[in-house]
Amino acid sequence: MLGNLINGISLGSIYAIIALGYTMVYGIAKMLNFAHGDVIMVGAYIAFYSISYFGMPALPALLLSIAVCTMLGIIIEKLAYKPLRNATSLAVLITAIGVSYFLQNAALLLWTSNTKVFPNIFANIGAIKIGSVQIAPVTLVTVFANIVIMLVLTLFTSKTKMGKAMRAVSEDKGAATLMGINVDRTISLTFAIGSGLAAIAGVLLCTAYPTLMPTTGAMPGIKAFTAAVFGGIGSIPGAMLGGILLGVIEIFAKAYISTQLSDAIVFAVLIIVLIVKPSGLLGRKINEKV
Amino acid sequence: MAEILKVSDLQVYYGSIHAIKGISFNVMEGEIVTLIGANGAGKSTTLNTVGGLIKAKSGSILFDNEDSFSMSAEKKVKKGMALCPEGRRVFQQMTVLENLEMGAYTRPKGEVQESLDKVCELFPRLKERYKQVAGTLSGGEQQMLAMGRALMSKPKLMMLDEPSMGLAPILVQQIFDIIVNMNKQGTTILLVEQNAQMALSVADRAYVLETGNITTSGDAAELLESEEIKKAYLGG
Ligand SMILES: Nc1ncnc2c1ncn2[C@@H]1O[C@H](COP(=O)(O)OP(=O)(O)OP(=O)(O)O)[C@@H](O)[C@H]1O
Ligand SMILES: [Mg+2]
C-alpha cells in the first residue's frame, strides 16, 4: 500500500514535470504542443548516448540534454508554430501532430527502432529503507526535482519582470505588446523552458523505466497532457496536482484492479472530473471575452 | 511647437474591408487633439494602426520626426508612444501594482518608483488598491488603471480610445479632468471619443471621421459651435 503510494507519487512527479511544459505553452501560446512528449524522447536519447557511448557523468549529460532540448523547443516553435500564429487552432493542432511524427521518425532514422537500455545513473547508491518500505534513489530525486521546479517556476512567474511579462502575454497579447513586451520572444522563452523541463523528465523517466525507443515519449506525453487538463490547463500548481494524482491513480489501478485496464481507468477519471469541473481541478473559469 | 505625430494618406484594410480611406492628420507637441465620429467610423482602427497593433496598407506615419510606419508596437512604446486601448484591457488576473509595473516594462528599474508615485498622485484610488486583482475592480477603477498603466511608460504621446465608455457622468467628468491634468504635466494627447461634447470641450483641435474619411477638422471650440457638428454629434 505505502509502496504503491510512493511509486505513484514518483511516476506522478514525472507526469507533473511534463505537464508543466504542456501547461506553460498552452497558457502563453494557447496551443497544445503535441510534440512535447517526443522532445522528452529526444532528451532521453541525448542523455543515453552521452553516458553510454561517450562516458559522460550523469550530471553533465543531463545538462547537455537540457541544452539540446531547449534549442529544439525554440527551433520547433520558430519553424513550425510561429508562421501559424494567426491560423486556426485546428491547423496548429495538426501541425503539432505532424511535428510529433517528424521527431519520432527522425529518431527512428538516427537511432533505429532497437530498444536501448538506459543506464542506471544511481547504480552506486543503494535504496533507502524507511521501516519496511524501500525507496529507490530515483524516486527521491524525482519527487525532489518536481518540488524544486514547481517552486522555481512559481517564483519566476510571480516575482521576476520576465515572468510577469509571461503572465501578461498569456492574458492578452495585444495589451502586452502595448506595454512594450516582445510577444514573440516571450513565446520563444516559454517553449525553451518547457522543452528544458522535458529533457529533465526524459532522463528521470528512463532512469525509472529504463527502456528507450523512438516512441518512448508518446504515452507519457499523452498522460501528462491529461494530467495538465485534469489539474486545470494553464495552471502551474494544477499541473503538479494533476500529474501526481494521475500517477497515483495509475499505479493503484494497476495494483488493485487490472494492469490492462489501468489506462482506461485513468482516462475515465479524467472524463468524470471534466464533467463535474470542466476547467479542471485548479483551473480558472474560462471567461469568454470578445 | 514641434510636430510629434504626422499621419499622411493612411490606408487600412481588414481583408477586403477598406476601413481607413487615406486620412491625414497631425498632432503638435503639448496639444490635446480629438478624433470623433460615429460607431464604426474607424477611430479605433486609426489609433491601433498608429500604435502598431494593425499594419496599414500604405501611407506614412511620422512619430517624433522618425518614420514609424513599419515599426513594431513594442518599439513605439520605447520611443514614447502609449496607447490606452478601447475596452481598457487591463490584465485581469494580475494585481493593480503588477499592471502598473507592466506599464513600466520599457523603463529602467530605477525610474519605476518615480513613475508609480506620479501615477498615484493622479489616481489616488489606485494606490489604495495595489494588491487587489484588477479583474475585481469596478469599471471606472479599471479605466483609471488602464490610463495609469499607459502613463507608466512616461509617454510623449498618449493615445486614449474612448476612456469615458460605460462610465457614470460624474466619473466621466473625473476622467476628463485627469486627461487635462496629464496634458498640463506635459503629455501630448490624442483622444478618441464618442462623447463629442466632452472631447471638444477639452481639446485644442479636432478631426471628424466618417466611414474611414476625415470630413471636418479644425479648432475644437469652433467645432463645438458649428451647426453641422451639433446636429450630427451633439444631439441637437
Ligand atoms: N478585426 C476586424 N475585422 C474586420 N473588420 C473590422 C475589424 N475591426 C474593425 N472592423 C471594421 O472597420 C470599421 C472601423 O471600425 P473601428 O473599430 O475602427 O470603428 P470605431 O470608430 O472605433 O467604432 P466604435 O466607436 O464603435 O468603437 C468598422 O466598419 C468595423 O466593422
Ligand atoms: Mg472604437
Side-chain angles (χ1 to χ4, degrees), chain A residues 32-75:
Chain A
L32 293 172
N33 177 21
F34 268 105
H36 191 61
D38 304 294
V39 176
I40 295 168
M41 172 272 296
V42 173
Y45 269 105
I46 301 292
F48 168 78
Y49 278 101
S50 310
I51 297 169
S52 297
Y53 279 67
F54 299 104
M56 275 165 83
L59 197 59
L62 174 68
L63 293 178
L64 178 67
S65 167
I66 292 174
V68 170
C69 287
T70 303
M71 282 312 298
L72 183 64
I74 293 173
I75 292 168

mmCIF file of all heavy atoms in Angstrom, chain A residues 32-75:
data_model
loop_
_atom_site.group_PDB
_atom_site.id
_atom_site.type_symbol
_atom_site.label_atom_id
_atom_site.label_comp_id
_atom_site.label_asym_id
_atom_site.label_seq_id
_atom_site.Cartn_x
_atom_site.Cartn_y
_atom_site.Cartn_z
ATOM 1 N N LEU A 32 -1.864 23.400 -28.031
ATOM 2 C CA LEU A 32 -1.418 22.138 -27.456
ATOM 3 C C LEU A 32 -0.239 21.647 -28.269
ATOM 4 O O LEU A 32 -0.380 21.322 -29.443
ATOM 5 C CB LEU A 32 -2.555 21.117 -27.498
ATOM 6 C CG LEU A 32 -3.721 21.502 -26.585
ATOM 7 C CD1 LEU A 32 -4.889 20.586 -26.810
ATOM 8 C CD2 LEU A 32 -3.274 21.475 -25.134
ATOM 9 N N ASN A 33 0.903 21.619 -27.644
ATOM 10 C CA ASN A 33 2.111 21.195 -28.347
ATOM 11 C C ASN A 33 2.248 19.679 -28.228
ATOM 12 O O ASN A 33 2.925 19.173 -27.345
ATOM 13 C CB ASN A 33 3.315 21.910 -27.741
ATOM 14 C CG ASN A 33 4.603 21.461 -28.376
ATOM 15 O OD1 ASN A 33 4.598 20.928 -29.481
ATOM 16 N ND2 ASN A 33 5.708 21.675 -27.685
ATOM 17 N N PHE A 34 1.576 18.967 -29.131
ATOM 18 C CA PHE A 34 1.575 17.519 -29.023
ATOM 19 C C PHE A 34 2.951 16.908 -29.232
ATOM 20 O O PHE A 34 3.174 15.739 -28.936
ATOM 21 C CB PHE A 34 0.553 16.892 -29.975
ATOM 22 C CG PHE A 34 -0.758 16.694 -29.295
ATOM 23 C CD1 PHE A 34 -1.831 17.514 -29.566
ATOM 24 C CD2 PHE A 34 -0.894 15.694 -28.333
ATOM 25 C CE1 PHE A 34 -3.031 17.355 -28.894
ATOM 26 C CE2 PHE A 34 -2.083 15.533 -27.664
ATOM 27 C CZ PHE A 34 -3.164 16.363 -27.944
ATOM 28 N N ALA A 35 3.890 17.679 -29.738
ATOM 29 C CA ALA A 35 5.236 17.164 -29.925
ATOM 30 C C ALA A 35 6.034 17.185 -28.616
ATOM 31 O O ALA A 35 7.159 16.703 -28.565
ATOM 32 C CB ALA A 35 5.958 17.981 -30.990
ATOM 33 N N HIS A 36 5.418 17.722 -27.560
ATOM 34 C CA HIS A 36 6.135 17.841 -26.288
ATOM 35 C C HIS A 36 6.653 16.488 -25.809
ATOM 36 O O HIS A 36 7.793 16.368 -25.364
ATOM 37 C CB HIS A 36 5.209 18.469 -25.247
ATOM 38 C CG HIS A 36 5.888 18.884 -23.992
ATOM 39 N ND1 HIS A 36 6.880 19.825 -23.971
ATOM 40 C CD2 HIS A 36 5.735 18.478 -22.707
ATOM 41 C CE1 HIS A 36 7.310 19.989 -22.729
ATOM 42 N NE2 HIS A 36 6.626 19.178 -21.947
ATOM 43 N N GLY A 37 5.816 15.454 -25.910
ATOM 44 C CA GLY A 37 6.222 14.114 -25.481
ATOM 45 C C GLY A 37 7.445 13.615 -26.241
ATOM 46 O O GLY A 37 8.288 12.904 -25.686
ATOM 47 N N ASP A 38 7.556 13.989 -27.495
ATOM 48 C CA ASP A 38 8.677 13.498 -28.298
ATOM 49 C C ASP A 38 9.965 14.248 -27.994
ATOM 50 O O ASP A 38 11.053 13.731 -28.210
ATOM 51 C CB ASP A 38 8.305 13.585 -29.772
ATOM 52 C CG ASP A 38 7.026 12.807 -30.020
ATOM 53 O OD1 ASP A 38 7.061 11.580 -29.862
ATOM 54 O OD2 ASP A 38 5.990 13.435 -30.294
ATOM 55 N N VAL A 39 9.816 15.464 -27.462
ATOM 56 C CA VAL A 39 11.014 16.180 -27.006
ATOM 57 C C VAL A 39 11.621 15.418 -25.818
ATOM 58 O O VAL A 39 12.851 15.330 -25.678
ATOM 59 C CB VAL A 39 10.674 17.640 -26.621
ATOM 60 C CG1 VAL A 39 11.890 18.354 -26.059
ATOM 61 C CG2 VAL A 39 10.134 18.386 -27.828
ATOM 62 N N ILE A 40 10.748 14.834 -25.002
ATOM 63 C CA ILE A 40 11.207 14.005 -23.879
ATOM 64 C C ILE A 40 12.085 12.865 -24.386
ATOM 65 O O ILE A 40 13.162 12.591 -23.857
ATOM 66 C CB ILE A 40 9.991 13.387 -23.152
ATOM 67 C CG1 ILE A 40 9.173 14.498 -22.516
ATOM 68 C CG2 ILE A 40 10.416 12.345 -22.128
ATOM 69 C CD1 ILE A 40 7.837 14.016 -22.044
ATOM 70 N N MET A 41 11.589 12.212 -25.433
ATOM 71 C CA MET A 41 12.317 11.091 -26.025
ATOM 72 C C MET A 41 13.689 11.556 -26.530
ATOM 73 O O MET A 41 14.710 10.917 -26.268
ATOM 74 C CB MET A 41 11.437 10.504 -27.141
ATOM 75 C CG MET A 41 12.041 9.462 -28.025
ATOM 76 S SD MET A 41 12.906 10.148 -29.459
ATOM 77 C CE MET A 41 11.612 10.956 -30.378
ATOM 78 N N VAL A 42 13.710 12.687 -27.232
ATOM 79 C CA VAL A 42 14.988 13.203 -27.736
ATOM 80 C C VAL A 42 15.936 13.464 -26.560
ATOM 81 O O VAL A 42 17.114 13.080 -26.591
ATOM 82 C CB VAL A 42 14.778 14.505 -28.559
ATOM 83 C CG1 VAL A 42 16.121 15.127 -28.921
ATOM 84 C CG2 VAL A 42 13.973 14.209 -29.817
ATOM 85 N N GLY A 43 15.404 14.068 -25.514
ATOM 86 C CA GLY A 43 16.218 14.352 -24.330
ATOM 87 C C GLY A 43 16.808 13.079 -23.752
ATOM 88 O O GLY A 43 17.990 13.033 -23.382
ATOM 89 N N ALA A 44 15.997 12.027 -23.690
ATOM 90 C CA ALA A 44 16.474 10.768 -23.139
ATOM 91 C C ALA A 44 17.572 10.169 -24.014
ATOM 92 O O ALA A 44 18.571 9.652 -23.510
ATOM 93 C CB ALA A 44 15.307 9.793 -22.986
ATOM 94 N N TYR A 45 17.402 10.233 -25.349
ATOM 95 C CA TYR A 45 18.444 9.701 -26.248
ATOM 96 C C TYR A 45 19.756 10.461 -26.085
ATOM 97 O O TYR A 45 20.833 9.865 -26.079
ATOM 98 C CB TYR A 45 17.995 9.779 -27.716
ATOM 99 C CG TYR A 45 17.281 8.532 -28.180
ATOM 100 C CD1 TYR A 45 15.906 8.523 -28.350
ATOM 101 C CD2 TYR A 45 17.996 7.358 -28.456
ATOM 102 C CE1 TYR A 45 15.237 7.387 -28.769
ATOM 103 C CE2 TYR A 45 17.339 6.213 -28.879
ATOM 104 C CZ TYR A 45 15.955 6.221 -29.038
ATOM 105 O OH TYR A 45 15.310 5.095 -29.440
ATOM 106 N N ILE A 46 19.661 11.795 -25.992
ATOM 107 C CA ILE A 46 20.888 12.587 -25.844
ATOM 108 C C ILE A 46 21.629 12.139 -24.575
ATOM 109 O O ILE A 46 22.842 11.893 -24.592
ATOM 110 C CB ILE A 46 20.563 14.103 -25.745
ATOM 111 C CG1 ILE A 46 19.817 14.593 -26.986
ATOM 112 C CG2 ILE A 46 21.836 14.924 -25.508
ATOM 113 C CD1 ILE A 46 20.609 14.594 -28.255
ATOM 114 N N ALA A 47 20.870 12.005 -23.490
ATOM 115 C CA ALA A 47 21.499 11.589 -22.235
ATOM 116 C C ALA A 47 22.049 10.167 -22.365
ATOM 117 O O ALA A 47 23.159 9.869 -21.912
ATOM 118 C CB ALA A 47 20.492 11.668 -21.091
ATOM 119 N N PHE A 48 21.278 9.301 -23.018
ATOM 120 C CA PHE A 48 21.710 7.909 -23.183
ATOM 121 C C PHE A 48 23.055 7.838 -23.912
ATOM 122 O O PHE A 48 23.989 7.188 -23.454
ATOM 123 C CB PHE A 48 20.646 7.119 -23.967
ATOM 124 C CG PHE A 48 21.119 5.772 -24.427
ATOM 125 C CD1 PHE A 48 21.184 4.706 -23.541
ATOM 126 C CD2 PHE A 48 21.515 5.582 -25.748
ATOM 127 C CE1 PHE A 48 21.640 3.463 -23.960
ATOM 128 C CE2 PHE A 48 21.979 4.342 -26.172
ATOM 129 C CZ PHE A 48 22.040 3.287 -25.280
ATOM 130 N N TYR A 49 23.155 8.523 -25.064
ATOM 131 C CA TYR A 49 24.404 8.456 -25.827
ATOM 132 C C TYR A 49 25.555 9.128 -25.079
ATOM 133 O O TYR A 49 26.690 8.654 -25.123
ATOM 134 C CB TYR A 49 24.221 9.065 -27.225
ATOM 135 C CG TYR A 49 23.590 8.072 -28.174
ATOM 136 C CD1 TYR A 49 22.247 8.127 -28.485
ATOM 137 C CD2 TYR A 49 24.358 7.028 -28.724
ATOM 138 C CE1 TYR A 49 21.655 7.200 -29.329
ATOM 139 C CE2 TYR A 49 23.783 6.093 -29.566
ATOM 140 C CZ TYR A 49 22.432 6.181 -29.865
ATOM 141 O OH TYR A 49 21.875 5.244 -30.693
ATOM 142 N N SER A 50 25.240 10.234 -24.403
ATOM 143 C CA SER A 50 26.313 10.924 -23.675
ATOM 144 C C SER A 50 26.898 10.017 -22.597
ATOM 145 O O SER A 50 28.114 9.966 -22.414
ATOM 146 C CB SER A 50 25.784 12.180 -22.987
ATOM 147 O OG SER A 50 25.060 12.947 -23.877
ATOM 148 N N ILE A 51 26.030 9.278 -21.919
ATOM 149 C CA ILE A 51 26.507 8.445 -20.816
ATOM 150 C C ILE A 51 27.085 7.133 -21.330
ATOM 151 O O ILE A 51 28.235 6.782 -21.063
ATOM 152 C CB ILE A 51 25.356 8.164 -19.813
ATOM 153 C CG1 ILE A 51 24.881 9.470 -19.185
ATOM 154 C CG2 ILE A 51 25.824 7.192 -18.723
ATOM 155 C CD1 ILE A 51 23.591 9.341 -18.399
ATOM 156 N N SER A 52 26.293 6.411 -22.147
ATOM 157 C CA SER A 52 26.702 5.056 -22.529
ATOM 158 C C SER A 52 27.773 5.026 -23.599
ATOM 159 O O SER A 52 28.568 4.101 -23.649
ATOM 160 C CB SER A 52 25.489 4.260 -23.001
ATOM 161 O OG SER A 52 24.575 4.133 -21.943
ATOM 162 N N TYR A 53 27.814 6.014 -24.499
ATOM 163 C CA TYR A 53 28.799 5.979 -25.578
ATOM 164 C C TYR A 53 29.988 6.884 -25.323
ATOM 165 O O TYR A 53 31.104 6.585 -25.715
ATOM 166 C CB TYR A 53 28.154 6.341 -26.919
ATOM 167 C CG TYR A 53 27.438 5.174 -27.534
ATOM 168 C CD1 TYR A 53 26.297 4.658 -26.929
ATOM 169 C CD2 TYR A 53 27.928 4.560 -28.702
ATOM 170 C CE1 TYR A 53 25.645 3.569 -27.462
ATOM 171 C CE2 TYR A 53 27.286 3.463 -29.227
ATOM 172 C CZ TYR A 53 26.134 2.964 -28.615
ATOM 173 O OH TYR A 53 25.499 1.886 -29.141
ATOM 174 N N PHE A 54 29.705 8.041 -24.696
ATOM 175 C CA PHE A 54 30.804 8.978 -24.514
ATOM 176 C C PHE A 54 31.300 9.021 -23.079
ATOM 177 O O PHE A 54 32.153 9.831 -22.733
ATOM 178 C CB PHE A 54 30.407 10.384 -24.999
ATOM 179 C CG PHE A 54 30.063 10.401 -26.460
ATOM 180 C CD1 PHE A 54 28.747 10.467 -26.872
ATOM 181 C CD2 PHE A 54 31.069 10.306 -27.421
ATOM 182 C CE1 PHE A 54 28.421 10.458 -28.228
ATOM 183 C CE2 PHE A 54 30.755 10.288 -28.773
ATOM 184 C CZ PHE A 54 29.424 10.361 -29.177
ATOM 185 N N GLY A 55 30.725 8.149 -22.264
ATOM 186 C CA GLY A 55 31.201 8.025 -20.896
ATOM 187 C C GLY A 55 31.086 9.272 -20.046
ATOM 188 O O GLY A 55 31.854 9.465 -19.097
ATOM 189 N N MET A 56 30.134 10.127 -20.384
ATOM 190 C CA MET A 56 29.974 11.330 -19.574
ATOM 191 C C MET A 56 29.323 10.982 -18.242
ATOM 192 O O MET A 56 28.500 10.082 -18.160
ATOM 193 C CB MET A 56 29.079 12.352 -20.305
ATOM 194 C CG MET A 56 29.831 13.235 -21.278
ATOM 195 S SD MET A 56 28.698 14.079 -22.386
ATOM 196 C CE MET A 56 28.210 15.443 -21.391
ATOM 197 N N PRO A 57 29.676 11.705 -17.176
ATOM 198 C CA PRO A 57 28.944 11.533 -15.915
ATOM 199 C C PRO A 57 27.498 11.991 -16.092
ATOM 200 O O PRO A 57 27.190 12.740 -17.019
ATOM 201 C CB PRO A 57 29.694 12.433 -14.928
ATOM 202 C CG PRO A 57 30.964 12.813 -15.606
ATOM 203 C CD PRO A 57 30.753 12.686 -17.063
ATOM 204 N N ALA A 58 26.643 11.546 -15.170
ATOM 205 C CA ALA A 58 25.210 11.796 -15.340
ATOM 206 C C ALA A 58 24.854 13.285 -15.395
ATOM 207 O O ALA A 58 24.059 13.703 -16.232
ATOM 208 C CB ALA A 58 24.436 11.109 -14.217
ATOM 209 N N LEU A 59 25.464 14.083 -14.508
ATOM 210 C CA LEU A 59 25.042 15.479 -14.424
ATOM 211 C C LEU A 59 25.348 16.280 -15.692
ATOM 212 O O LEU A 59 24.462 16.933 -16.247
ATOM 213 C CB LEU A 59 25.635 16.145 -13.176
ATOM 214 C CG LEU A 59 24.948 17.439 -12.774
ATOM 215 C CD1 LEU A 59 23.463 17.218 -12.488
ATOM 216 C CD2 LEU A 59 25.623 18.073 -11.567
ATOM 217 N N PRO A 60 26.609 16.216 -16.193
ATOM 218 C CA PRO A 60 26.861 16.912 -17.461
ATOM 219 C C PRO A 60 25.985 16.377 -18.595
ATOM 220 O O PRO A 60 25.542 17.149 -19.453
ATOM 221 C CB PRO A 60 28.339 16.623 -17.740
ATOM 222 C CG PRO A 60 28.922 16.224 -16.445
ATOM 223 C CD PRO A 60 27.825 15.645 -15.613
ATOM 224 N N ALA A 61 25.712 15.075 -18.583
ATOM 225 C CA ALA A 61 24.860 14.501 -19.621
ATOM 226 C C ALA A 61 23.465 15.107 -19.552
ATOM 227 O O ALA A 61 22.859 15.443 -20.571
ATOM 228 C CB ALA A 61 24.788 12.977 -19.458
ATOM 229 N N LEU A 62 22.976 15.272 -18.324
ATOM 230 C CA LEU A 62 21.664 15.885 -18.139
ATOM 231 C C LEU A 62 21.666 17.325 -18.647
ATOM 232 O O LEU A 62 20.756 17.757 -19.361
ATOM 233 C CB LEU A 62 21.266 15.854 -16.651
ATOM 234 C CG LEU A 62 19.977 16.593 -16.302
ATOM 235 C CD1 LEU A 62 18.763 15.892 -16.887
ATOM 236 C CD2 LEU A 62 19.811 16.740 -14.792
ATOM 237 N N LEU A 63 22.732 18.055 -18.293
ATOM 238 C CA LEU A 63 22.813 19.458 -18.717
ATOM 239 C C LEU A 63 22.864 19.568 -20.238
ATOM 240 O O LEU A 63 22.199 20.421 -20.839
ATOM 241 C CB LEU A 63 24.035 20.138 -18.086
ATOM 242 C CG LEU A 63 23.959 20.299 -16.569
ATOM 243 C CD1 LEU A 63 25.231 20.947 -16.029
ATOM 244 C CD2 LEU A 63 22.740 21.126 -16.168
ATOM 245 N N LEU A 64 23.632 18.667 -20.868
ATOM 246 C CA LEU A 64 23.704 18.667 -22.330
ATOM 247 C C LEU A 64 22.317 18.397 -22.916
ATOM 248 O O LEU A 64 21.870 19.054 -23.860
ATOM 249 C CB LEU A 64 24.701 17.601 -22.803
ATOM 250 C CG LEU A 64 24.831 17.476 -24.324
ATOM 251 C CD1 LEU A 64 25.463 18.734 -24.911
ATOM 252 C CD2 LEU A 64 25.664 16.247 -24.705
ATOM 253 N N SER A 65 21.647 17.419 -22.324
ATOM 254 C CA SER A 65 20.315 17.058 -22.793
ATOM 255 C C SER A 65 19.344 18.239 -22.658
ATOM 256 O O SER A 65 18.551 18.517 -23.567
ATOM 257 C CB SER A 65 19.836 15.851 -21.987
ATOM 258 O OG SER A 65 18.483 15.630 -22.174
ATOM 259 N N ILE A 66 19.442 18.950 -21.541
ATOM 260 C CA ILE A 66 18.585 20.136 -21.350
ATOM 261 C C ILE A 66 18.896 21.178 -22.427
ATOM 262 O O ILE A 66 17.987 21.743 -23.051
ATOM 263 C CB ILE A 66 18.801 20.755 -19.944
ATOM 264 C CG1 ILE A 66 18.279 19.808 -18.863
ATOM 265 C CG2 ILE A 66 18.102 22.108 -19.830
ATOM 266 C CD1 ILE A 66 18.587 20.265 -17.442
ATOM 267 N N ALA A 67 20.191 21.392 -22.678
ATOM 268 C CA ALA A 67 20.585 22.406 -23.664
ATOM 269 C C ALA A 67 20.051 22.046 -25.052
ATOM 270 O O ALA A 67 19.484 22.897 -25.755
ATOM 271 C CB ALA A 67 22.111 22.534 -23.696
ATOM 272 N N VAL A 68 20.206 20.768 -25.433
ATOM 273 C CA VAL A 68 19.747 20.347 -26.762
ATOM 274 C C VAL A 68 18.227 20.493 -26.880
ATOM 275 O O VAL A 68 17.709 21.028 -27.866
ATOM 276 C CB VAL A 68 20.173 18.890 -27.054
ATOM 277 C CG1 VAL A 68 19.505 18.367 -28.322
ATOM 278 C CG2 VAL A 68 21.686 18.807 -27.175
ATOM 279 N N CYS A 69 17.504 20.054 -25.851
ATOM 280 C CA CYS A 69 16.042 20.133 -25.917
ATOM 281 C C CYS A 69 15.550 21.577 -25.908
ATOM 282 O O CYS A 69 14.574 21.914 -26.584
ATOM 283 C CB CYS A 69 15.407 19.354 -24.765
ATOM 284 S SG CYS A 69 15.530 17.586 -25.013
ATOM 285 N N THR A 70 16.229 22.437 -25.151
ATOM 286 C CA THR A 70 15.857 23.849 -25.136
ATOM 287 C C THR A 70 15.965 24.427 -26.549
ATOM 288 O O THR A 70 15.042 25.081 -27.049
ATOM 289 C CB THR A 70 16.773 24.628 -24.172
ATOM 290 O OG1 THR A 70 16.660 24.029 -22.878
ATOM 291 C CG2 THR A 70 16.371 26.081 -24.073
ATOM 292 N N MET A 71 17.094 24.125 -27.191
ATOM 293 C CA MET A 71 17.287 24.585 -28.570
ATOM 294 C C MET A 71 16.207 24.007 -29.477
ATOM 295 O O MET A 71 15.631 24.696 -30.320
ATOM 296 C CB MET A 71 18.669 24.156 -29.094
ATOM 297 C CG MET A 71 19.837 24.992 -28.606
ATOM 298 S SD MET A 71 19.544 26.750 -28.762
ATOM 299 C CE MET A 71 19.367 26.891 -30.545
ATOM 300 N N LEU A 72 15.974 22.704 -29.305
ATOM 301 C CA LEU A 72 14.978 22.024 -30.136
ATOM 302 C C LEU A 72 13.610 22.687 -29.977
ATOM 303 O O LEU A 72 12.907 22.945 -30.967
ATOM 304 C CB LEU A 72 14.908 20.541 -29.736
ATOM 305 C CG LEU A 72 13.967 19.661 -30.568
ATOM 306 C CD1 LEU A 72 14.427 19.579 -32.010
ATOM 307 C CD2 LEU A 72 13.890 18.251 -29.964
ATOM 308 N N GLY A 73 13.245 22.998 -28.739
ATOM 309 C CA GLY A 73 11.955 23.651 -28.487
ATOM 310 C C GLY A 73 11.862 24.993 -29.200
ATOM 311 O O GLY A 73 10.853 25.308 -29.830
ATOM 312 N N ILE A 74 12.946 25.775 -29.129
ATOM 313 C CA ILE A 74 12.954 27.086 -29.770
ATOM 314 C C ILE A 74 12.831 26.937 -31.292
ATOM 315 O O ILE A 74 12.080 27.657 -31.946
ATOM 316 C CB ILE A 74 14.246 27.855 -29.395
ATOM 317 C CG1 ILE A 74 14.228 28.185 -27.892
ATOM 318 C CG2 ILE A 74 14.385 29.129 -30.209
ATOM 319 C CD1 ILE A 74 15.522 28.789 -27.369
ATOM 320 N N ILE A 75 13.560 25.947 -31.823
ATOM 321 C CA ILE A 75 13.537 25.742 -33.278
ATOM 322 C C ILE A 75 12.156 25.277 -33.747
ATOM 323 O O ILE A 75 11.621 25.781 -34.739
ATOM 324 C CB ILE A 75 14.637 24.724 -33.700
ATOM 325 C CG1 ILE A 75 16.012 25.350 -33.462
ATOM 326 C CG2 ILE A 75 14.468 24.328 -35.165
ATOM 327 C CD1 ILE A 75 17.167 24.365 -33.572
#
